[in-house]
Amino acid sequence: GDPKVPVLYQVERTCTEKSFSVRSVKAIQHGKPIFICQASFQLCQSSPVQHQFTMPTVPLPEELLTQEELIQKFLQNPNLAEKYRNHLNKIQAENVPIDIKPVNPPDVFNLEPQEPKQLFWVRARGYIGEMDLKVHCCVAAYISDYAFLGTALLPHRQYHVKFMVSLDHSMWFHAPFRADHWMLYECESPWAGGCRALVQGRLWRRDGVLAATCAQEGVIWVEPHQSKL
């Protein structure tokens, strides 16, 4: 999208029932759609049919380093190749409004394939407060996209990414949460092929309640690394 141009939103009442409703939204700039969203809403209903997966057992966020602290630690190593140093400095310069604490950060000195799974403690920076849950859902949607598709690259670290972008992103919200409180983001990629990859994610509240589930498909183009550390 173009931040200098107003966005025209077209909303279609796809379905309206007693308990459920669906709205289709199209965002338009310069006469062309730049974003298409389908949102489903439900009235709160109780049911005896309830279950969820068990939250992974991981160190608490207070016991882990932030992404910035990890990068600074890597940059202090005199043996770090210049290309990786430049890449880490670029990441460090990004103004990302998210606090991130990787549970098992990848080793930048080792390009060995890893299982396509990642765990992060994440939260929005700053104070959002007891606002409408929809605000926290919007912030969580932003958080859920960060480093999500990169999970599919962990088994293929011998390649350099030329182009990577998401094709679609879906979220299901299960329980109330605060996006400015620490949540565990569990990411995994069950499949990749044909220049596409599928990733799935679960956002856990700190008390073990599954707050949201995510899924994304994206395009990934790669080329072999030209040099090694």
Side-chain angles (χ1 to χ4, degrees):
D2 186 347
K4 299 179 181 179
V5 178
V7 180
L8 173 65
Y9 292 96
Q10 293 183 348
V11 181
E12 178 184 350
R13 297 174 180 263
T14 308
C15 175
T16 303
E17 302 292 344
K18 291 183 179 180
S19 301
F20 294 86
S21 63
V22 180
R23 298 292 183 264
S24 298
V25 183
K26 184 182 294 184
I28 299 174
Q29 278 187 335
H30 303 294
K32 298 181 179 180
I34 60 170
F35 175 79
I36 297 174
C37 170
Q38 181 166 291
S40 300
F41 304 91
Q42 178 195 6
L43 292 176
C44 292
Q45 295 176 300
S46 60
S47 170
V49 181
Q50 297 186 46
H51 71 266
Q52 66 166 48
F53 284 169
T54 300
M55 177 178 170
T57 301
V58 299
L60 296 175
E62 291 78 13
E63 302 172 12
L64 299 170
L65 297 176
T66 65
Q67 179 170 274
E68 288 83 357
E69 290 169 336
L70 286 168
I71 289 176
Q72 197 60 40
K73 182 179 178 180
F74 287 134
L75 289 174
Q76 291 174 358
N77 192 316
N79 297 321
L80 183 65
E82 192 63 26
K83 60 181 294 187
Y84 294 100
R85 187 177 299 278
N86 293 336
H87 177 67
L88 292 174
N89 281 322
K90 184 179 179 180
I91 296 175
Q92 193 81 303
E94 294 177 354
N95 186 21
V96 179
I98 311 171
D99 286 325
I100 304 168
K101 291 192 173 184
V103 174
N104 294 302
D107 185 354
V108 297
F109 292 95
N110 186 356
L111 296 181
E112 290 297 318
Q114 297 182 17
E115 191 176 14
K117 294 183 178 182
Q118 296 192 87
L119 288 163
F120 306 91
W121 284 103
V122 293
R123 69 179 179 186
R125 286 181 175 168
Y127 176 78
I128 298 177
E130 299 288 348
M131 300 184 68
D132 191 318
L133 178 60
K134 291 190 289 291
V135 175
H136 289 277
C137 289
C138 290
V139 176
Y142 179 90
I143 291 174
S144 69
D145 190 48
Y146 189 81
F148 195 20
L149 193 55
T151 307
L153 291 170
L154 291 176
H156 315 285
R157 301 184 69 205
Q158 70 272 31
Y159 295 105
H160 170 72
V161 178
K162 294 176 59 180
F163 180 77
M164 183 170 66
V165 65
S166 63
L167 294 172
D168 52 62
H169 189 95
S170 300
M171 293 192 73
W172 297 264
F173 298 100
H174 311 307
F177 61 91
R178 287 274 300 269
D180 54 351
H181 288 180
W182 284 115
M183 292 188 293
L184 182 66
Y185 195 18
E186 180 185 10
C187 306
E188 59 186 5
S189 175
W191 175 88
C195 296
R196 293 181 295 121
L198 177 67
V199 288
Q200 299 170 341
R202 288 179 283 274
L203 275 168
W204 299 90
R205 285 189 343 206
R206 188 168 178 151
D207 60 0
V209 172
L210 181 59
T213 300
C214 319
Q216 185 179 99
E217 186 182 35
V219 172
I220 301 178
W221 293 342
V222 300
E223 62 183 4
H225 278 288
Q226 298 301 316
S227 61
K228 298 182 179 179
L229 289 172

